Amino acid sequence: MQRPVFGRQDFDYKPSVPVVALRVDVQAREHEIPIHQHESGQLVIALRGAVTCDVPGALWMVPPQAGVWIPGGTPHSNRSTANAVLFFLFIAPGAAALPARCCTLRLSPMLSEMIQYLAGLPPTYEPGSATDRLAHVLLDQLCTMPAEELFLPMPQDARLRRISQAITLDPSDRRTLSDWAHELATSERTLNRLCTAQTGLSFGRWRRQLHMIVALRELSGGATVQQVAYDLGYESPSAFITMFKKAFGKPPATYISDRLRVEN
């Protein structure tokens, strides 16, 4: 079943069956679903392009053919790259032994194909039917998928949230912590202490990690290394490549191609 846009009714989707898959084709611009929550657990999947999921305390990254698991009742918002192809897997409470906290699950090619196939079937089905049997095999497989930690811890302090929101909207914003302290009428030391206490990272490390999350999203969506480097405010693509390699152990082009090769 294909849905080209997200309707308000999907924000509180309550399947009457163990699992329902919905497909969403994003238009030729970035798309953001505002903060919402639903009783069912949700797996957010990017078949093409990428998604970031903002949940309390963290910003999660969904690379191609991986999924972010969001337990039922968790407030969250999703932002996808232009022209992304997404799947939303709604899982009824108690239908599968999935984690009680958010995590990224790497999907096998077989599981990805099963999810895509389920999305093309009617959203309701009878117990014991072929679709029901497929749904239970899908859930069994999903519970075996390895977890990844592609997320950025987000601060809760109002002042730091203001900074994080500004940088998230404009990653090229290069204002220093001293600049922010002056703007927020506080001290640089206070902001850095709060950032370390609430995220486990200094402000400089936190901003670099944010850049890497954004970079993965944009590269997975088809942006070039040069474009991403300049969008993040790096002076040159080589400086960005160096930082990316420090974070992920590989240059960006190699990292993305290797991941796609494994998943396809």
Side-chain angles (χ1 to χ4, degrees):
M1 177 172 60
Q2 181 171 326
R3 295 191 176 189
V5 296
F6 223 97
R8 185 71 205 180
Q9 70 274 10
D10 295 314
F11 287 1
D12 193 25
Y13 199 85
K14 298 178 181 179
S16 57
V17 290
V19 59
V20 170
L22 302 177
R23 172 174 171 157
V24 176
D25 291 277
V26 178
Q27 298 176 349
R29 60 184 178 86
E30 287 193 354
H31 182 66
E32 184 167 6
I33 299 172
I35 294 175
H36 63 286
Q37 64 187 67
H38 25 76
E39 182 180 340
S40 300
Q42 183 184 24
L43 189 71
V44 182
I45 303 158
L47 179 65
R48 186 178 72 219
V51 189
T52 47
C53 301
D54 194 349
V55 302
L59 185 70
W60 286 86
M61 172 66 200
V62 187
Q65 293 197 15
V68 165
W69 167 244
I70 304 173
T74 304
H76 60 283
S77 63
N78 305 324
R79 184 176 182 179
S80 63
T81 54
N83 300 311
V85 176
L86 313 179
F87 287 85
F88 295 89
L89 203 65
F90 292 94
I91 300 174
L98 290 165
R101 63 177 183 86
C102 289
C103 62
T104 305
L105 297 175
R106 190 158 186 171
L107 306 181
S108 68
M110 181 184 74
L111 184 56
S112 178
E113 291 293 334
M114 292 172 69
I115 292 169
Q116 293 174 60
Y117 182 75
L118 184 63
L121 300 177
T124 58
Y125 42 88
E126 295 297 323
S129 65
T131 303
D132 184 61
R133 294 194 297 272
L134 169 68
H136 281 87
V137 172
L138 187 157
L139 292 176
D140 286 344
Q141 287 295 309
L142 183 60
C143 292
T144 68
M145 292 297 104
E148 299 177 317
E149 297 295 317
L150 294 173
F151 78 99
L152 175 73
M154 298 294 281
Q156 298 304 307
D157 178 82
R159 292 162 294 185
L160 291 175
R161 289 293 293 182
R162 179 174 166 183
I163 297 172
S164 65
Q165 288 167 3
I167 299 175
T168 301
L169 290 172
D170 180 14
S172 66
D173 187 335
R174 288 291 179 170
R175 278 177 285 183
T176 66
L177 198 57
S178 177
D179 295 331
W180 281 112
H182 179 74
E183 183 171 329
L184 298 173
T186 187
S187 71
E188 181 178 352
R189 181 178 179 182
T190 295
L191 290 178
N192 206 32
R193 177 177 54 80
L194 284 169
C195 188
T196 302
Q198 295 186 7
T199 70
L201 303 169
S202 67
F203 176 75
R205 289 184 60 199
W206 180 88
R207 181 161 59 182
R208 285 194 294 272
Q209 193 162 325
L210 171 62
H211 281 169
M212 294 304 101
I213 292 289
V214 173
L216 277 179
R217 186 187 70 199
E218 299 305 312
L219 290 166
S220 297
T224 66
V225 170
Q226 183 177 34
Q227 179 183 344
V228 173
Y230 289 129
D231 285 349
L232 294 179
Y234 285 85
E235 294 182 356
S236 67
S238 61
F240 165 69
I241 291 170
T242 298
M243 187 60 64
F244 190 99
K245 190 173 180 180
K246 286 181 179 178
F248 296 105
K250 300 177 182 178
T254 304
Y255 181 92
I256 296 297
S257 64
D258 285 354
R259 188 178 186 97
L260 288 173
R261 183 163 56 249
V262 168
E263 291 165 352
N264 291 326

